[in-house]
Amino acid sequence: MSILVKIADLDLSDKTVLIREDYNVPMKNFEITDNTRITATLPTLKHVINAGAKLILVSHLGRPEEGKYDEIFSLAPVAKLLSSQLGFEVPLIKNWIDGIDMSNYQVVLCENVRFEKGEIDNDEELSRKMAQLCQIYVNDAFATAHRAQASTHGIAKYAAISAAGPLLISELKALTKALRKPAKPIVAIIGGAKVSTKLTIIKKLLEKIDTLILGGGIVNTFLNAASYEIGKSLYEKDLVETSKELIEQAKKNNCNILLPDDVLTGNKFEENTTAEIKSISDIDRNDIIMDVGPKTIKKLNAIIKEAKTIVWNGPLGVFEFEKFSNGTKTLAQEIAKSDAYSIAGGGDTIAAITKFNVKKDISYISTGGGAFLEFLEGKKLPAIGILEEAARAWVAMEKAREL
Ligand code: AMP
């Protein structure tokens, strides 16, 4: 792994430390439904406070319209949870960008960074302002590391010191280790809604793996490309030709793309629609493919059993609907049973892993969705790249000081 400044390398006493966290947690009716991301950060927060620093926390939540306050996307529930878990009040600061009054040992949470105009576009002025709030900037949000935004990238250009947080570092270490020399056969499962969001990773995987299992809405586009009727199923017409090319590329690379033999269909995209098992050659004009069928599940299980490395992103069907969750559920359980090294990542994949209670039996679960996929593609994530640059500058400065 390349060099990064770590919190442990720094003297934090009397310093103002700004940590970019990932508190983009699932919520329902203003209640946090899964607090894993928040509790994971607590040891670092305690370490920084105990070292005598002032601590500013920054995160995004959801996708609000930029530059506008919207209660739905407020981090208030996060501030409440942090306060109860840390045992002292963590105030939520609404107007923070022009400066925050604080004392040592204090922690504040800034309101959703995406309420600030210029965050998404990595605006220079906003980045400079954020950098001015602190002496040390720490990025501990792997899931946003593929985005060059003001709080993940721009700020690191202007902060006096920019460091990588422990969650980010452990994520990088685990993924690097898993991908260095993966044992073969390597099986990847790419499911989820759309090919367009996963096209690059599919292309890349075809060069590296033995079997690609496609599922979800993604497989419908490939079924259409292979001339099957897919009825009213979700698919992307403009990617049918590309899917044909990918099928050809897979053949050349000796990579087996697995398409379903049978599926579970409904006639309405809703929970209570009647589910029917259909052979893939019997799909009707009005059918909607919503999960894989039992024959396909059997075939998938056999492939998972043989695998030595498994990479998983995206559900095989509409797993939120009980009737159509069996494909994803069985897949999760088979991966959990397998002795292969298994890595999984992405919001819906983690939701499925949690729902089907297999968390402890997956070798590594990445917190990232897009960041996880881009890392697998071999791309340099912008937020990591800028921390590496900052680390090189910091090392040079420390050396100069030693002279
Ligand atoms: P993604 O974020 O791309 O991983 O997509 C996850 C979403 O894909 C989940 O909400 C699933 O319900 C949805 N999904 C999976 N299979 C299908 C399908 N056959 N048709 C429509 N949506 C699907």
Side-chain angles (χ1 to χ4, degrees):
M1 203 162 68
S2 51
I3 62 154
L4 291 168
V5 181
K6 301 181 201 68
I7 293 181
D9 299 330
L10 304 169
D11 174 11
L12 305 177
S13 166
D14 285 328
K15 303 283 191 324
T16 305
V17 179
L18 184 151
I19 309 185
R20 172 53 160 105
E21 297 286 11
D22 176 14
Y23 291 149
N24 185 33
V25 288
M27 288 206 209
K28 211 172 184 182
N29 302 328
F30 300 100
E31 293 286 338
I32 297 166
T33 53
D34 181 355
N35 62 19
T36 320
R37 284 187 171 181
I38 301 174
T39 46
T41 67
L42 294 178
T44 306
L45 307 192
K46 287 178 187 161
H47 170 80
V48 174
I49 307 156
N50 291 338
K54 301 179 179 87
L55 179 54
I56 301 172
L57 303 172
V58 170
S59 175
H60 77 284
L61 175 70
R63 293 168 190 257
E65 187 184 330
E66 212 186 60
K68 246 179 142 182
Y69 175 81
D70 182 345
E71 198 191 355
I72 293 175
F73 299 104
S74 168
L75 283 169
V78 177
K80 201 171 133 197
L81 192 91
L82 281 172
S83 303
S84 80
Q85 297 211 338
L86 288 170
F88 53 81
E89 208 210 335
V90 177
L92 177 72
I93 315 287
K94 248 187 180 176
N95 301 312
W96 52 275
I97 195 66
D98 292 313
I100 308 165
D101 259 341
M102 320 178 49
S103 46
N104 285 3
Y105 301 99
Q106 200 191 353
V107 187
V108 298
L109 175 65
C110 299
E111 187 51 286
N112 194 338
V113 69
R114 288 194 182 158
F115 292 164
E116 300 298 322
K117 210 159 183 58
E119 162 65 5
I120 306 249
D121 289 340
N122 204 6
D123 178 72
E124 187 182 326
E125 198 191 327
L126 184 69
S127 305
R128 280 184 192 276
K129 277 186 165 182
M130 274 185 212
Q132 272 163 16
L133 294 173
C134 64
Q135 284 135 318
I136 298 169
Y137 162 70
V138 179
N139 188 342
D140 211 11
F142 177 77
T144 60
H146 59 310
R147 298 196 178 110
Q149 299 182 341
S151 69
T152 63
H153 184 271
I155 180 173
K157 281 199 255 177
Y158 306 113
I161 297 173
S162 293
L167 297 175
L168 186 112
I169 290 174
S170 62
E171 187 106 33
L172 289 175
K173 271 193 184 158
L175 290 177
T176 308
K177 187 171 157 239
L179 300 176
R180 198 175 292 141
K181 266 196 174 172
K184 281 170 99 58
I186 310 169
V187 175
I189 305 105
I190 302 291
K194 289 183 172 178
V195 181
S196 48
T197 57
K198 297 180 187 175
L199 193 59
T200 337
I201 184 70
I202 292 174
K203 269 189 196 157
K204 263 276 175 284
L205 285 172
L206 294 180
E207 296 165 11
K208 296 180 181 171
I209 65 168
D210 302 287
T211 303
L212 176 63
I213 297 172
L214 294 173
I218 289 180
V219 83
N220 299 340
T221 307
F222 280 79
L223 286 170
N224 187 277
S227 303
Y228 286 103
E229 168 72 58
I230 55 165
K232 288 187 184 156
S233 308
L234 171 74
Y235 87 116
E236 286 163 290
K237 201 172 176 188
D238 52 338
L239 284 174
V240 171
E241 279 311 307
T242 311
S243 302
K244 280 184 191 162
E245 286 162 24
L246 291 174
I247 293 172
E248 286 311 307
Q249 192 196 325
K251 279 184 196 151
K252 278 187 206 146
N253 294 356
N254 261 334
C255 170
N256 174 27
I257 293 191
L258 198 96
L259 299 180
D261 294 327
D262 60 348
V263 289
L264 221 54
T265 61
N267 42 38
K268 281 193 185 134
F269 193 85
E270 54 188 45
E271 181 106 55
N272 293 327
T273 185
T274 313
E276 231 185 304
I277 301 170
K278 287 205 169 182
S279 158
I280 201 61
S281 44
D282 291 340
I283 304 296
D284 220 54
R285 267 192 310 135
N286 290 321
D287 286 336
I288 304 173
I289 301 173
M290 288 160 83
D291 197 9
V292 285
K295 271 193 201 153
T296 307
I297 291 180
K298 229 173 160 184
K299 209 161 157 184
L300 297 188
N301 292 352
I303 290 170
I304 300 287
K305 269 203 184 81
E306 295 295 311
K308 292 276 185 290
T309 304
I310 301 169
V311 177
W312 177 27
N313 174 268
L316 290 184
V318 188
F319 74 104
E320 298 92 337
F321 298 166
E322 207 51 43
K323 276 182 197 161
F324 301 99
S325 65
N326 201 36
T328 308
K329 181 180 177 179
T330 321
L331 173 73
Q333 288 170 341
E334 285 303 309
I335 296 178
K337 265 195 248 159
S338 153
D339 293 331
Y341 187 85
S342 51
I343 11 177
D348 279 297
T349 313
I350 296 175
I353 287 170
T354 311
K355 181 169 178 181
F356 304 124
N357 212 4
V358 294
K359 216 170 186 172
K360 66 175 188 0
D361 294 312
I362 308 284
S363 314
Y364 188 74
I365 300 172
S366 171
T367 56
F372 170 66
L373 293 177
E374 290 194 18
F375 192 91
L376 293 184
E377 283 163 22
K379 279 191 192 153
K380 171 72 74 189
L381 307 181
I384 311 296
I386 195 81
L387 289 182
E388 287 169 353
E389 268 178 44
R392 283 192 287 275
W394 183 76
V395 168
M397 199 174 72
E398 288 294 295
K399 283 223 169 102
R401 216 175 268 156
E402 270 172 29
L403 293 177

